[in-house]
Amino acid sequence: MKTDIQIAQEATLQPIKDVAATIGIKEEDLEYYGKYKAKLSDELWEQVKGNSDGKLVLVTAINPTPAGEGKTTVTVGLGQAMAQLGQKAVLALREPSLGPCMGLKGGATGGGYSQVAPMEEINLHFTGDIHAVTAAHNLLSAMIDNHLHQGNSLGIDPRQILWKRVMDMNDRALRNIVVGLGGKTHGVPREDSFIISVASEVMAILCLAQDIHDLKERIGRIIIGYTYEGEPVTAKDLQAPGAMTALLKDALKPNLIQTLENTPVIMHGGPFANIAHGCNSIRGTQMALKLGDIVITEAGFGADLGAEKFFDIKCRMGGLKPDAVVLVATIRALKYNGLVPKDQLSVENIEALKKGFCNLEKHIENIKKFKVPVIVTLNAFTTDTKEEIAYVKKRCEELGATFALSEVWEKGGKGGIDLAQKVLHVLETETSHFAPLYDNTNSILEKLEIIATEIYGAKGVVLTAKAQKDIKKIKKIGLEDLPICVAKTQYSLSDQPHLLGCPKDFTITVRELRVSAGAGFIVALTGDIMIMPGLPKKPAATQVDVGEDGKITGLF
């Protein structure tokens, strides 16, 4: 089997104007970024906003494991399969971050014969959206420190500055820094830190804003810190929204690309799901719904993170009503959750599969709590046995979930025909009665407890002294009625990465709460979750190279 990048580089792509034409987009509504990438004009939205919405299908997964689940691969393959069945399908995906691309996880454009393209460009700089987020965020950081240096007329308490700096790379050395050293002319010394760009509130705002006016208003509401008297200080107080919006003006426009089989893809925005809200932009999804009959989107990591935030944050803010959910699992990952070592996952082990199936069962149960029909798909590996597949199929059907096998990695859209047919059948015969899990009017603690007990299966929530103090401050400034975005490990339903399967009798410890007033949600940090990841012992970057012919190699 060829590598992902070899497959992508050998694919025959269509000029992006031809891909656009298949969903009714005229060339004058494209802003080209080379032959195969384009941004969609603001005028296009005005033309299509009166169209009826297509059906919205969310692809999510069980908790990720080192064995791999292939959620993006299945998403892309499902879109290709829908197109093969004659459906007017549009994918709505997130943009990859350079951090994991050069770190442990690699790129995020799918795999095998189910990828979006041009793969190398998308995984590296794409159309510069994440760079724009980084620039806008760091402009505000610079304006904060300049304000301190120029006399601090707002009375900002340097010890209570919440706004960090960002970069789109994994770099643990920047988690804790000191700025302003070198004497009086170099600024006011204080502790600071970096977070990864995709965890920035600016990224969340870009993904949740309806238009440029909403973008600017949300940026103005960002709380950067507090005064000595404990009053919040906003980006608007620093007169930053205008310049920040200018930096984000082009980034606000969704991007159009294609799959290896030329299915149209709207790719826009890229927040992580373990430390942010994990969904592509509302603008991107809404545009796709107006252009396609079937829209397939995804949410990051397992359904306990990405899907919950998709339902409780993105759908709530964007007025979206998902029609079905595809839940991705693999035999290998289920056996890993049954405590089989990674080097033994290729060996048939029905008992471990039965033990690890509880993780999939919990995610099926959770999706049903949102009253949306669920289809489980096994992303096939050559080492899967008939007996193992039969067991998962039987158990899923016993739980009331439709089951389909996916072979899209190996076969592209052809390998997703069974899944696509099952999804279409569910869309035709079952009705979604989608509803968020909680009301925004619930208290912060109530919302946390609902998420922890209902979705994670915890017996309760423990608040540190810092978290309790944070809740009081959020109440004081009148922002308690916002949804919750939990920052939690992706590897477990709990806040402890090593607790696999479906852990019981655990509590979720919330160590800190941060209000993202511009984005419109409250971030709850749990466990040891880091908002600036580090590189592994052997980063993926060590494999990336450029040959004499100019071709990039080593990306995956």
Side-chain angles (χ1 to χ4, degrees), residues 151 178 191 265 308 339 358 406 418 431 438 450 455 473 546:
V178 177
E191 292 186 17
V265 180
E308 185 273 319
L339 305 183
C358 66
S406 168
D418 179 48
T431 302
Y438 54 81
I450 289 170
I455 301 300
K473 182 170 286 188
V546 182

Side-chain angles (χ1 to χ4, degrees), residues 450-473:
I450 289 170
I451 295 170
T453 58
E454 294 289 323
I455 301 300
Y456 309 151
K459 61 182 181 181
V461 173
V462 175
L463 300 175
T464 64
K466 173 75 167 65
Q468 293 177 42
K469 185 177 179 181
D470 292 338
I471 288 178
K472 290 179 181 178
K473 182 170 286 188

